[in-house]
Amino acid sequence: MTKLLVVATGNPGKLRELQAYLANSGWELTLKPEELEIAETGETFAANAGLKASQVAQATGQWAIADDSGLQVDALNGVPGVYSARYGSNDSERIARLLRELGNAVNRQAQFVCAVAIARPDGTIALESEGICRGEILHAPRGEGGFGYDPIFYVPEKQLTFAEMSRELKGSISHRGQALKALIPQLAALNI
Ligand code: IMP
C-alpha cells in the first residue's frame, strides 16, 4: 500500500525536489491544500519545520513533511537566519542588503541550515533532522543557477558558488540534501 505524505508547501518546485530525494521511500508526496495557510512563528529552523509539519498534518489528517531553511552569517551573529526569506522583497534586494551589512568584513564565513520534520496525522512529531553546509560570502554575485542567496554563497572545497553548481552537485552537498539524506533511513524504519 502506498503511504501518503503531505508536503507543507504551496511551492511545486519544493515538491519536485523532495520527490527526487524520497523517490524510493515507499511514500507518495502531495502538495498541501492551497487554502491552508501555515504560520512560521518559531525562532529556530527546527521549531518552524515542526510547526509547519504539525499544522498540515492536523488540518489534513495525514502524515506531513516540512522543511525550514536559511542562511546564517557568522560576522552578523547568524543573521538573516530564520528571517532569510523576509530579509528583502526579492532575491536581489536580499543579496544587496546582506552585502551592505557585511561590508568589507574579513570574516565572511557562513552556513546554510535546513531542518526537516515529519508529523503524524495527530500533529505529533515523528522524525526530525538537520543539515548544515558551510561556505563563504563573496563580495559580488557569481553564477546564474539556483535561487535565493546561491550566487553569493561560495563553497571553497568545490571552488564554486551554489549558483555555479549543477543541481546534482548542489543537492549532494547542500544543507537540504544532507537533512533529507539523514531522514531516509529513519523514514524507512518507521513501522506504519
Ligand atoms: P523557507 O522556504 O522558509 O525555508 O525559506 C528559506 C529562505 O532561505 C529562502 O527564501 C532563501 O532566501 C533562503 N535559502 C534557503 N535555502 C537556500 C538555498 O539552497 N539557496 C539559496 N537560498 C536559500
Side-chain angles (χ1 to χ4, degrees):
M1 198 185 70
T2 331
K3 296 164 285 185
L4 193 66
L5 191 56
V6 183
V7 183
T9 180
N11 178 349
K14 203 172 248 186
L15 174 69
R16 276 195 298 274
E17 194 180 333
L18 285 176
Q19 266 164 342
Y21 280 112
L22 303 179
N24 301 315
S25 66
W27 290 81
E28 186 188 327
L29 273 59
T30 173
L31 279 181
K32 74 165 177 67
E34 214 173 313
E35 64 281 3
L36 178 61
E37 300 278 340
I38 38 179
E40 228 175 279
T41 50
E43 286 184 6
T44 62
F45 298 113
N48 275 332
L51 265 173
K52 291 192 265 188
S54 275
Q55 291 173 70
V56 170
Q58 280 179 309
T60 59
Q62 306 280 356
W63 286 75
I65 184 169
D67 76 335
D68 196 61
S69 57
L71 179 64
Q72 296 181 317
V73 178
D74 294 4
L76 300 177
N77 296 319
V79 165
V82 289
Y83 300 103
S84 294
R86 293 164 270 175
Y87 201 52
S89 47
N90 57 47
D91 282 344
S92 41
E93 278 185 19
R94 287 186 273 269
I95 287 179
R97 177 170 173 194
L98 186 63
L99 292 180
R100 200 167 55 239
E101 293 194 2
L102 195 54
N104 279 325
V106 176
N107 176 6
R108 307 193 73 87
Q109 302 290 314
Q111 62 188 21
F112 270 118
V113 181
C114 177
V116 181
I118 291 186
R120 303 180 185 91
D122 66 2
T124 55
I125 300 299
L127 300 177
E128 288 178 295
S129 74
E130 192 161 272
I132 291 179
C133 182
R134 299 278 305 166
E136 293 166 13
I137 304 299
L138 295 182
H139 288 267
R142 254 175 55 180
E144 305 297 326
F147 72 101
Y149 300 90
D150 281 353
I152 52 168
F153 189 79
Y154 179 76
V155 181
E157 297 77 51
K158 303 292 175 194
Q159 300 195 12
L160 294 170
T161 67
F162 266 3
E164 293 172 320
M165 293 181 190
S166 66
R167 196 191 297 256
E168 292 70 31
L169 178 57
K170 182 184 167 188
S172 71
I173 61 167
S174 77
H175 48 312
R176 196 167 298 101
Q178 295 193 47
L180 288 165
K181 218 178 295 167
L183 204 69
I184 292 168
Q186 299 184 49
L187 195 54
L190 263 188
N191 214 352
I192 64 155

